[in-house]
C-alpha cells in the first residue's frame, strides 16, 4: 500500500482500490471500477516518440 | 479494397476493435481492419492479404490505418464513410468527454492524472507491450500498485518491476493479467462475482475467472482475487506478487479461506507460497494446474485435483454446502468413419493447460502449449488430437486478445468445420466486455454442425462457460444460446474436458 496507514486500509480496503484508479490504455477497463463507485481517471495515453519503439527506448535512456 | 490513413491519431485496441466490427457489419464487406501503423501491425496486415501493393505515403506508428475489402466498390465506400462517422463520434479520450470533461482537459500523463486524483492507489496499465513496462515503472515510482493487463512484457522487466514494488510495499498484478477482484471491485474481465470470504491468488486471467465464477455458482463468494501472472512462481520472479498478496491477505478481515492456483513455475517457489498462505492462519486450498504427480503435504494446505475441485473445497471450508452439479446425459453422435480427433480451441491459457494435462493419455497429441510428450504446433490443423491456446502471445502479437476479438477463434472454428477428421470440438467461453461471446461464434458453430452433417457424420461440440448470471451477458442466457446451437455445455471446465474425452469415438478415448 502506498501509505502504510491502517486507517487507510479501513477506508479504502486491503488493496486500496476504493481510493481511486488511474487507467492507462484500454478505456473499456474504466467501466467496471466506475460502476462500483470507484473514482477513475483515464489518461489520454499516446505512445511516446510517435509510437516508434526504437526511438522511444533511446529517449527513455536519455531521461 | 481501399485503405485510409489518419495521420497522428492514436486509438486504443478496444476502439480499433469496435471500429473493425462496425465496418464489417456493412453489407458486402468481406473483411475490415483498423490498426495503428506500427511496423509489426503492417506485417500482420500484409499476411492477411489486406496491405495495398503500394502506400503513397507509408504509415507511421502513430497513424491510424483503416482497410476494408468488399465485393463491390459501393460497399467499400460505404465502409469508409461509416468509419469516418464512427470515429468522429468518438474523439480520442472519449470516456472523459462522455463524462463532461473537455477534451483539452484530459490528463495526458500519469502525473497529470494523479494531480486530479491524488488518492489513487492503483494503475490499470494496458498500453501496448513495448511501452507497458515503462508506464508500470512510472506508476510504481509514484506510489501506485499496478494491474498490468498488457502482454509482451519481458521476464527481465517483470522481475525488475516486481522487485521495485517489493521495496515500496506495492503490488504488480500480471503481466497479462486480464482479471482481478480487489476489495470487492471487479477489474478487467473478472465479471460479477458475489462478495464473500474466499480469497484467490491465481496465476492469471482465465483460471482466476473460472475459479471465482465456480465459487459463485456453488453458493460461495470472493473477498479478493489476485492475478499474479503466469511467470510469478518461476525461480526468476520468485513468487514476489503471490507472496506479497498473501501478506496483505494475512491482515484482511474479510478473508476466511485462501485458494492458491498455480500454473507451471517452480515447485520450490509454489511450496514456499503454500507455506506462506498457511502461515496466514486461514485454511488453504492449493492447485497446481497440470500437476501429473503428487505434491508434498504442507500443514494447513489441502491440494485440489482441479480448478472446480479447488472451488468446491474452498466453499466447504467457508461453510457453504455446495450442491452436486446437474449434468446432461452424454450421447455420442454417429460419427463418419474419418472422424477421430479432439480439437480444443481455447481463449483461456490456464484452462487450455489444464485440458491438455487431462488429455495426456491421448495419442497423437499436439498443442501450442509446451508439455512433456506433447508435439508442439501452433497450426490450426494437425493430424491427431490438437489443443490450442489462442490467447498465447504467439497469436496475439499485433492483434487483440481473443477474449476481446473473437475473429481468430472464428477462423479456427471454420477450419475445424472443414476438417473431416475432427470428431469432438471443445472450447471455453469467458465473459468479456459488453459484447455477446456466443453471438460472435454463431456462424462458425452452425458451420461446424452443418458441414459435418453434410459429410455424413456429426461433430460433437462441448463447451464450458465461465461467468455468472449477474454478468451483463448472463451466463444462463449464454448456455441456452449454445445449447440451441447443438453445443453440450458442462457446468465447469474440467467436466467439459471429461465429457469431450467420453464422447470421442470408440478406440480414441486414450489410456
Amino acid at each position: 500500500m502506498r501509505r502504510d496507514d491502517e486507517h487507510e486500509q479501513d477506508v479504502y480496503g486491503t488493496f486500496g482500490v476504493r481510493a481511486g484508479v488511474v487507467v492507462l490504455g484500454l478505456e473499456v477497463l474504466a467501466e467496471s471500477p466506475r460502476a462500483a463507485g470507484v473514482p477513475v481517471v483515464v489518461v489520454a495515453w499516446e505512445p511516446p516518440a510517435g509510437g516508434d519503439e526504437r526511438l522511444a527506448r533511446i529517449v527513455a535512456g536519455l531521461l | 479494397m481501399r485503405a485510409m490513413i489518419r495521420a497522428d491519431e492514436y486509438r486504443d485496441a478496444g476502439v480499433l476493435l469496435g471500429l473493425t466490427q462496425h465496418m464489417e457489419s456493412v453489407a458486402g464487406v468481406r473483411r475490415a481492419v483498423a490498426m495503428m501503423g506500427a511496423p509489426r501491425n503492417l506485417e500482420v496486415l500484409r499476411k492477411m492479404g489486406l496491405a495495398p501493393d503500394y502506400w503513397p505515403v507509408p504509415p507511421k506508428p502513430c497513424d491510424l490505418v483503416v482497410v476494408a475489402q468488399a465485393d463491390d466498390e459501393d460497399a467499400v465506400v460505404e465502409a469508409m464513410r461509416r468509419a469516418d462517422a464512427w470515429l468522429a463520434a468518438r474523439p480520442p479520450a472519449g470516456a472523459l468527454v462522455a463524462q463532461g470533461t473537455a477534451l483539452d482537459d484530459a490528463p495526458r500523463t500519469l502525473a497529470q492524472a494523479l494531480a486530479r486524483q491524488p488518492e489513487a492507489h492503483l494503475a490499470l496499465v494496458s498500453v501496448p507491450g513495448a511501452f507497458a513496462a515503462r508506464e508500470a515503472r512510472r506508476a510504481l515510482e509514484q506510489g501506485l500498485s499496478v494491474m498490468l493487463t498488457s502482454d509482451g512484457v519481458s521476464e527481465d522487466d517483470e522481475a525488475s518491476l516486481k522487485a521495485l514494488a517489493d521495496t515500496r510495499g506495492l503490488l504488480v498484478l500480471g503481466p497479462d493479467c486480464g482479471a482481478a477482484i480487489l476489495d470487492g471491485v471487479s477489474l478487467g474481465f473478472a465479471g460479477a462475482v458475489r462478495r464473500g470470504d474466499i480469497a484467490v491468488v491465481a496465476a492469471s486471467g482465465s483460471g482466476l475467472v473460472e475459479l471465482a465464477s465456480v465459487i459463485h455458482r456453488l453458493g460461495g463468494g470472493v473477498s479478493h482475487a489476485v492475478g499474479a501472472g503466469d511467470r510469478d512462481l518461476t525461480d526468476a520472479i520468485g513468487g514476489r506478487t503471490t507472496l506479497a498478496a498473501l501478506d496483505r491477505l494475512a491482515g484482511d478481515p474479510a478473508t476466511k479461506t485462501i485458494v492458491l492456483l498455480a500454473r507451471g513455475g517452480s515447485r520450490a517457489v509454489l511450496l514456499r507460497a503454500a507455506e506462506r498462505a498457511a502461515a496466514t492462519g486461514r485454511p488453504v486450498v492449493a492447485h497446481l494446474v497440470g500437476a501429473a504427480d503428487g505434491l508434498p503435504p504442507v500443514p494447513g494446505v489441502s491440494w485440489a485435483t482441479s480448478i472446480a475441485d479447488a472451488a468446491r473445497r474452498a466453499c466447504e471450508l467457508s461453510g457453504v454446502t455446495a450442491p452436486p452439479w446437474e449434468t446432461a446425459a452424454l450421447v455420442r453422435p454417429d460419427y463418419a468413419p474419418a472422424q477421430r480427433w479432439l480439437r480444443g480451441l481455447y481463449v483461456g491459457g490456464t484452462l487450455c493447460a489444464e485440458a491438455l494435462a487431462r488429455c495426456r493419455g491421448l495419442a497423437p497429441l499436439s498443442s501450442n502449449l509446451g508439455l512433456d510428450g506433447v508435439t508442439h504446433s501452433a497450426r490450426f490443423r494437425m493430424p491427431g488430437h490438437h489443443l490450442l491456446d489462442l490467447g498465447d502471445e504467439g497469436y496475439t502479437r499485433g492483434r487483440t486478445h481473443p477474449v476481446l476479438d473473437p475473429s481468430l477463434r472464428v477462423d479456427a472454428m471454420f477450419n475445424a468445420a472443414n476438417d473431416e477428421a475432427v470428431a469432438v470440438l471443445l472450447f471455453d467461453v469467458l465473459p468479456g466486455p459488453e459484447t455477446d461471446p456466443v453471438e460472435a461464434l454463431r456462424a462458425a458453430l452452425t458451420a461446424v454442425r452443418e458441414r459435418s452433417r453434410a459429410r455424413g457424420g456429426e461433430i460433437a461440440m462441448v463447451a464450458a462457460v465461465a461467468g455468472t448470471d449477474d454478468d451483463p451477458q448472463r451466463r444462463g442466457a449464454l448456455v441456452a444460446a449454445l445449447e440451441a446451437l447443438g453445443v453440450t455445455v458442462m457446468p465447469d471446465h474440467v467436466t467439459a474436458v471429461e465429457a469431450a474425452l467420453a464422447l470421442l469415438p470408440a478406440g480414441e478415448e486414450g489410456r
Side-chain angles (χ1 to χ4, degrees):
Chain A
M1 192 170 292
R2 183 150 64 123
R3 303 163 193 86
D4 188 14
D5 182 337
E6 286 184 9
H7 173 69
E8 281 207 349
Q9 180 165 328
D10 291 343
V11 174
Y12 296 137
T14 296
F15 293 89
V17 171
R18 292 194 172 274
V21 169
V22 178
V23 173
L24 293 105
L26 293 168
E27 285 188 33
V28 68
L29 296 181
E31 290 175 7
S32 57
R34 194 175 280 148
V38 174
V40 178
V41 175
V42 179
V43 175
W45 187 87
E46 292 188 1
D52 184 325
E53 294 171 20
R54 194 181 63 84
L55 183 60
R57 276 196 297 273
I58 293 169
V59 171
L62 294 174
L63 296 177
Chain B
M1 191 174 79
R2 184 171 289 202
M4 166 170 77
I5 299 173
R6 294 169 64 112
D8 298 320
E9 183 169 335
Y10 178 77
R11 299 297 187 131
D12 76 43
V15 173
L16 297 174
L17 178 64
L19 176 56
T20 297
Q21 291 171 342
H22 183 66
M23 288 195 299
E24 285 188 337
S25 70
V26 175
V29 171
R30 286 202 303 263
R31 294 207 84 158
V33 173
M35 53 172 51
M36 299 309 301
R40 75 180 71 180
N41 292 348
L42 298 178
E43 179 61 16
V44 169
L45 202 63
R46 192 186 62 75
K47 286 180 178 169
M48 292 170 76
L50 289 175
D53 296 330
Y54 167 71
W55 295 99
V57 180
K60 303 187 300 295
C62 56
D63 294 343
L64 171 60
V65 178
V66 180
V67 181
Q69 189 179 48
D71 297 329
D72 58 66
E73 183 65 13
D74 287 349
V76 172
V77 170
E78 176 61 13
M80 290 299 174
R81 190 193 65 75
R82 289 221 206 158
D84 275 331
W86 198 88
L87 288 165
R90 292 165 183 77
L96 291 160
V97 174
Q99 284 184 76
T101 307
L103 179 59
D104 289 345
D105 290 344
R108 299 278 164 184
T109 64
L110 179 65
Q112 289 174 6
L114 283 173
R116 191 167 300 183
Q117 188 80 267
E119 295 300 314
H121 280 53
L122 180 72
L124 303 184
V125 177
S126 57
V127 303
F131 307 102
R134 179 186 114 123
E135 299 297 346
R137 186 166 289 110
R138 286 185 172 175
L140 292 167
E141 286 168 352
Q142 296 278 350
L144 277 76
S145 288
V146 173
M147 176 170 162
L148 191 50
T149 303
S150 315
D151 60 7
V153 175
S154 73
E155 186 178 82
D156 285 349
D157 279 336
E158 179 179 350
S160 70
L161 289 171
K162 289 185 173 179
L164 175 61
D166 260 0
T167 62
R168 300 192 171 216
L170 302 169
L171 280 176
V172 175
L173 278 62
D176 199 14
C177 174
I181 301 169
L182 301 177
D183 301 317
V185 179
S186 177
L187 299 166
F189 304 117
V193 175
R194 184 185 305 110
R195 286 195 83 167
D197 56 19
I198 300 171
V200 172
V201 181
S204 205
S206 65
L208 182 153
V209 171
E210 169 78 356
L211 181 56
S213 61
V214 172
I215 288 171
H216 174 108
R217 298 205 303 274
L218 290 172
V222 170
S223 55
H224 311 277
V226 177
D230 280 343
R231 290 184 300 226
D232 193 63
L233 294 178
T234 59
D235 287 323
I237 309 297
R240 283 183 185 273
T241 297
T242 301
L243 296 174
L246 290 169
D247 289 345
R248 292 278 182 96
L249 293 174
D252 178 50
T255 296
K256 294 197 167 48
T257 304
I258 293 175
V259 185
L260 197 55
L261 176 61
R263 175 189 170 190
S266 151
R267 292 281 173 110
V269 178
L270 171 59
L271 291 174
R272 200 184 318 148
E275 287 165 0
R276 185 76 67 93
T280 64
R282 275 85 166 175
V284 176
V285 179
H287 176 53
L288 172 59
V289 170
D293 49 353
L295 288 152
V298 176
V301 176
S302 146
W303 292 105
T305 56
S306 70
I307 295 173
D309 181 44
R312 204 167 270 281
R313 288 179 192 226
C315 285
E316 284 169 10
L317 287 167
S318 277
V320 174
T321 306
W325 292 134
E326 289 179 15
T327 56
L330 299 174
V331 180
R332 187 181 283 170
D334 291 327
Y335 293 117
Q339 290 187 269
R340 297 180 64 187
W341 314 125
L342 170 67
R343 179 76 52 85
L345 298 176
Y346 281 87
V347 293
T350 300
L351 304 187
C352 188
E354 182 148 83
L356 190 61
R358 296 240 155 193
C359 292
R360 255 181 227 268
L362 300 178
L365 177 61
S366 56
S367 174
N368 63 329
L369 295 181
L371 189 69
D372 287 345
V374 176
T375 304
H376 187 272
S377 173
R379 293 170 55 193
F380 279 176
R381 184 177 298 203
M382 282 287 287
H385 307 286
H386 191 41
L387 278 77
L388 290 174
D389 167 17
L390 298 168
D392 186 70
E393 280 190 7
Y395 292 115
T396 56
R397 211 166 289 136
R399 65 184 303 161
T400 312
H401 192 282
V403 167
L404 280 162
D405 178 359
S407 61
L408 182 70
R409 184 154 70 170
V410 167
D411 289 348
M413 282 185 170
F414 273 108
N415 188 291
N418 293 332
D419 188 342
E420 63 175 8
V422 173
V424 179
L425 175 66
L426 172 65
F427 61 99
D428 59 347
V429 176
L430 296 173
E434 68 275 16
T435 51
D436 180 342
V438 174
E439 190 55 37
L441 302 177
R442 179 180 297 279
L445 293 172
T446 303
V448 168
R449 187 169 59 172
E450 290 180 354
R451 292 179 194 179
S452 59
R453 284 181 179 173
R455 292 191 294 265
E458 173 143 4
I459 292 178
M461 298 187 284
V462 182
V465 181
T468 74
D469 281 342
D470 293 342
D471 290 331
Q473 304 93 341
R474 286 186 45 242
R475 179 180 182 274
L478 299 179
V479 170
L482 284 169
E483 288 176 344
L485 290 166
V487 178
T488 300
V489 181
M490 301 303 286
D492 68 63
H493 146 70
V494 170
T495 54
V497 178
E498 288 167 351
L501 291 171
L503 286 169
L504 280 171
E508 300 292 350
E509 305 96 321
R511 295 183 291 275

